[in-house]
Amino acid sequence: MTATLRAWAELLRISALFTVPGDALAGAAAIGRRPGRGTALAVGASLCLYEAGMALNDWADRDEDAVDRPHRPIPSGRITPAAALTAAGALTAAGLFLAARAGRPALTVASGLAATVWAYDLHLKHTQAGPAAMATARTLDLLLGATATWGTGAEPEHSGTRTVTAPGPATGLVPAPAPTPVSAGKRLRGPIARLVGRGGRALAKAAGDAQPRQGEPSRQAALPLRAALPAAALLGAHTYAVTAVSRHETQGGSTVAPLSALAAVIALGATAAREQRGPGDAPPGPGRGASGGSHRPEPGASAATPASPRILLTALTGAYLRTAAEPLLHATLNPSPPLTQRAVGSGIRAMIPLQAALAARAGAAGTGLAVMGLVPLARTLARKVSPT
């Protein structure tokens, strides 16, 4: 029994599971909402879809692993290919079910995420589009947290930061109501379908199309996509860099991939450490709302960012750089398989402090600290079960 559990733990790479909940939590923070029932459903859906991808990955790579990684659960005979494929299908269905419980828009995003995961594992990972597909999956995962949180009407975050707002009929701005499930699903279905095929350009188009207009309340369902897009893009860029390095982890020999990833990590850290700017992402300044109109600031809100959140954001960004950058530097200097694999594993774990930094950047300091609490668990399990 113990041997069977260990085999499934290896197949599902459970040490990497702790990099998943932060996606939904960062998505909730990005739209200025407290984590709620929808966020919990998004976390559950994300975990199921992530593990479905792990099982499907080993099923699709079973012949390749028989040569390069004969110790993996399928080539070693500890888990049958049929069992791995069945698990992938069951976990995908469970993930979509949980997303559906959070509303039609969340199910639409989760469907795009599931399609991206299956397309990556079955074909795209062996093509030049592999890193972009993996980056799209992580981007959609954060957007799933945003849409699920929004769709279930979570409370706004009252920490002196912005809440996503929409045009009101009388006084300029009021909090945007939760989206109507039917109309929201119709609005989001097209953009999400394009996300899988076109990656970042489709995300940008979805954000542009999400601008709410007077007299179009059904378009308010797209607001979470627009507000969460900057954070999702940063997480997606990190995923792209790590995935590009992972393509060389079994044979090593590449200095270009870890060097490029190192440059990307430094740039992402510098970006994450800055105050948010841009539509739907910047805290409202004096007399301004998230949509650019005038409104009365919340009681207790300060126009200037307090020192404590800035210190926290700097610390979290530093933790991200420390986790990801040093192993990448070692892999650049000596691109051997062990050091490349270590860089990939560290890059996966670095998603946790990056998610925490993104939450703190949005003003959700408590969420950021909660996400960072996953780091010791991920590090402990990584010593027993490799995340790669």
Side-chain angles (χ1 to χ4, degrees):
M1 183 67 175
T2 302
T4 301
L5 290 176
R6 180 172 181 80
W8 280 101
E10 289 181 27
L11 181 82
L12 299 176
R13 295 173 176 84
I14 60 169
S15 62
L17 266 183
F18 296 102
T19 69
V20 177
D23 289 347
L25 293 171
I31 62 171
R33 297 296 176 99
R34 298 182 187 277
R37 172 178 170 272
T39 317
L41 288 169
V43 169
S46 297
L47 289 171
C48 288
L49 293 176
Y50 187 85
E51 292 293 46
M54 293 295 105
L56 185 63
N57 176 79
D58 274 30
W59 179 84
D61 284 353
R62 60 192 183 280
D63 294 333
E64 181 182 327
D65 285 345
V67 176
D68 295 331
R69 296 179 175 182
H71 61 279
R72 293 293 300 163
I74 293 179
S76 65
R78 291 176 291 156
I79 293 177
T80 66
L85 184 60
T86 300
L91 287 165
T92 299
L96 294 176
F97 172 79
L98 290 172
R101 300 284 294 173
R104 187 75 166 272
L107 175 60
T108 305
V109 177
S111 298
L113 173 57
T116 305
V117 168
W118 279 73
Y120 174 83
D121 283 333
L122 296 180
H123 176 65
L124 293 178
K125 69 178 167 186
H126 297 300
T127 70
Q128 293 297 320
M134 184 63 79
T136 299
R138 273 288 177 174
T139 300
L140 287 171
D141 202 33
L142 190 146
L143 295 178
L144 173 59
T147 53
T149 302
W150 180 274
T152 52
E155 293 183 3
E157 185 78 54
H158 296 295
S159 59
T161 61
R162 94 273 182 232
T163 56
V164 180
T165 54
T171 59
L173 291 174
V174 295
T180 304
V182 174
S183 61
K186 292 179 180 177
R187 293 288 180 182
L188 288 176
R189 190 177 294 117
I192 293 302
R194 291 193 295 273
L195 289 179
V196 179
R198 299 181 185 175
R201 285 178 297 178
L203 281 170
K205 187 177 189 306
D209 291 345
Q211 181 66 38
R213 299 175 184 175
Q214 192 83 19
E216 293 189 45
S218 63
R219 294 183 68 88
Q220 292 170 4
L223 278 171
L225 288 179
R226 180 175 177 80
L229 189 56
L234 289 176
L235 186 62
H238 173 82
T239 305
Y240 185 101
V242 174
T243 306
V245 177
S246 72
R247 294 160 77 88
H248 305 277
E249 65 178 330
T250 58
Q251 291 154 357
S254 172
T255 58
V256 174
L259 181 59
S260 300
L262 177 60
V265 163
I266 293 172
L268 290 171
T271 302
R274 295 197 200 111
E275 291 183 51
Q276 295 186 12
R277 310 287 183 192
D281 196 37
R288 294 191 63 81
S291 298
S294 299
H295 77 295
R296 190 174 300 166
E298 294 181 18
S302 173
T305 304
S308 296
R310 291 195 184 194
I311 293 173
L312 176 62
L313 177 58
T314 301
L316 293 174
T317 305
Y320 163 65
L321 291 172
R322 186 170 58 253
T323 304
E326 183 179 348
L328 285 170
L329 177 60
H330 292 165
T332 301
L333 297 175
N334 179 11
S336 63
L339 289 180
T340 303
Q341 290 170 17
R342 180 172 174 264
V344 173
S346 297
I348 293 172
R349 290 194 304 275
M351 289 180 183
I352 300 176
L354 177 58
Q355 294 157 347
L358 292 174
R361 183 174 182 257
T367 298
L369 291 173
V371 172
M372 278 301 289
L374 299 173
V375 170
L377 298 173
R379 185 181 296 119
T380 299
L381 268 180
R383 296 192 187 105
K384 300 178 179 180
V385 180
S386 173
T388 66

